[in-house]
Amino acid sequence: MGKKENLVRIGFWLLVIGIFGYVTIVNIDREKQVLSSPEKVIATISGFENGVRGSSRVNFTYSYKDSLYKSWSRTSLSFAGWCKKRNDCKGLMFEITINKNNPKQLLVDWDNIFENKNFINNP
């Protein structure tokens, strides 16, 4: 291998490590912001949409201080299939944590929702 090939490989791995580091830092910062002023609220699934390349996303709404917020998350195809048999899970409720000062910032235990189907009004 030549010197140039080694530099390209080192540059590639530095870029990959940099991207993972950036994403990790952003996620930790967002979690800290939400937990600095947390408030538990109830979210309700409003339906599903097709995502990119055959993926699926779940849409949900929640309210805080007389304002309604909409959000979404990518979901596994197995969860989307499970919901398909249950009216797309419309109306199922789950708990989320929001930042009182910025209610658009939120944390959700998606593993508990997608894998354990842990809903407040579980069918």
Side-chain angles (χ1 to χ4, degrees):
M1 275 190 220
K3 194 175 195 179
K4 188 174 182 180
E5 289 174 347
N6 284 336
L7 288 174
V8 169
R9 285 184 185 197
I10 290 170
F12 170 78
W13 285 110
L14 287 174
L15 179 65
V16 169
I17 291 168
I19 291 171
F20 279 116
Y22 173 77
V23 169
T24 300
I25 289 169
V26 167
N27 285 335
I28 289 171
D29 183 56
R30 182 177 40 144
E31 185 174 342
K32 282 183 180 180
Q33 288 176 4
V34 171
L35 295 178
S36 70
S37 187
E39 180 78 25
K40 300 267 186 195
V41 297
I42 303 300
T44 304
I45 294 178
S46 55
F48 280 81
E49 287 182 24
N50 291 330
V52 180
R53 296 183 188 162
S55 66
S56 186
R57 69 184 223 178
V58 60
N59 297 315
F60 59 95
T61 59
Y62 59 97
S63 60
Y64 182 69
K65 290 189 177 179
D66 298 327
S67 293
L68 184 67
Y69 297 91
K70 295 179 181 181
S71 191
W72 62 273
S73 177
R74 284 177 280 167
T75 183
S76 66
L77 293 176
S78 64
F79 180 75
W82 182 83
C83 281
K84 202 104 172 121
K85 299 172 189 169
R86 291 163 180 79
N87 192 30
D88 281 340
C89 290
K90 289 180 184 171
L92 288 184
M93 295 182 277
F94 55 98
E95 189 176 85
I96 65 174
T97 304
I98 62 168
N99 180 342
K100 285 190 249 186
N101 302 323
N102 184 358
K104 290 183 179 182
Q105 292 179 333
L106 57 100
L107 294 175
V108 182
D109 185 358
W110 289 119
D111 290 337
N112 206 14
I113 306 260
F114 295 154
E115 294 173 18
N116 302 328
K117 290 22 171 220
N118 190 11
F119 295 101
I120 293 171
N121 58 337
N122 202 345

